[in-house]
Amino acid sequence: MCKILINEVMLGKRNVGFECYSMETGEIVGYTEKQIKAQFQAGNPVLGFMLDADGQLKVDETFCKNIMCKSGISTLTPKLETDCIVNLIFTVIGREGSQYKVISSRFWQGCMTEEKLKTLYELGAVNGIEVDSKGKITLCVEKRKQTQAVENKTSRKTDTIQSEDQRTEA
């Protein structure tokens, strides 16, 4: 169950929750901070978040360069005061051939070319990718899937070893 951070929802200056994209259903789901922490405890981390040493929810800066804060109808402002000159952030959610599937902070979904994505990334308007010094793009969603696959293989090996140990004991 993969969810991806899109926007923070504010009531005045107080955080009331977050809007996340669900990879399974393709819909936008609203979560409170408590619900996101519960997702982590259930083993379903939400991309764009991390828990610090104290168990506090933080925005994962390796995934998000910036996020938009929604404080009213059609009111989006950048959360981090940076040199970001745009009022729209795109989050990469996958690949489709040579194109990259994205969703915007206003929930537009579509595809972008690599050149357009890199240009927007330089402006600070793209989340969900890492660009190395050679210009190679790595998708955080794909990296997460690879990490999960390795964790699953490791847990299966551990389960198999434990099963074999139990058989030899019996």
Side-chain angles (χ1 to χ4, degrees), residues 6-157:
I6 302 295
N7 294 321
E8 181 176 14
V9 181
M10 305 290 284
L11 182 61
K13 294 186 184 267
R14 186 174 64 92
N15 171 303
V16 293
F18 299 91
E19 294 173 325
C20 299
Y21 177 77
S22 171
M23 294 290 285
E24 293 80 32
T25 62
E27 62 187 6
I28 303 298
V29 183
Y31 286 111
T32 64
E33 187 172 323
K34 184 177 178 180
Q35 290 171 319
I36 292 173
K37 285 182 183 179
Q39 288 283 323
F40 272 92
Q41 291 170 348
N44 302 317
V46 179
L47 292 177
F49 289 107
M50 60 186 281
L51 293 175
D52 65 9
D54 299 328
Q56 296 299 314
L57 196 64
K58 301 284 182 195
V59 173
D60 183 359
E61 293 178 8
T62 60
F63 182 85
C64 295
K65 288 186 102 176
N66 205 345
I67 62 170
M68 300 304 283
C69 293
K70 185 184 278 189
S71 58
I73 297 173
S74 296
T75 307
L76 291 172
T77 55
K79 179 177 179 80
L80 306 174
E81 296 292 327
T82 62
D83 55 354
C84 181
I85 59 172
V86 296
N87 65 352
L88 193 62
I89 302 279
F90 296 94
T91 303
V92 179
I93 57 174
R95 284 184 211 252
E96 211 169 79
S98 63
Q99 300 273 318
Y100 292 87
K101 293 182 354 182
V102 298
I103 184 167
S104 77
S105 51
R106 296 189 187 270
F107 311 130
W108 170 83
Q109 292 184 41
C111 291
M112 288 187 183
T113 64
E114 184 173 331
E115 294 79 26
K116 186 172 184 176
L117 198 63
K118 285 181 180 178
T119 302
L120 289 169
Y121 182 79
E122 289 175 11
L123 293 172
V126 177
N127 290 329
I129 63 171
E130 294 174 355
V131 180
D132 66 11
S133 60
K134 296 178 183 176
K136 183 178 182 282
I137 295 176
T138 304
L139 275 64
C140 295
V141 172
E142 290 176 353
K143 202 160 129 179
R144 165 121 168 90
K145 286 178 185 175
Q146 291 170 353
T147 304
Q148 280 183 326
V150 169
E151 288 172 358
N152 288 343
K153 284 182 183 178
T154 305
S155 68
R156 278 191 221 127
K157 284 180 184 177

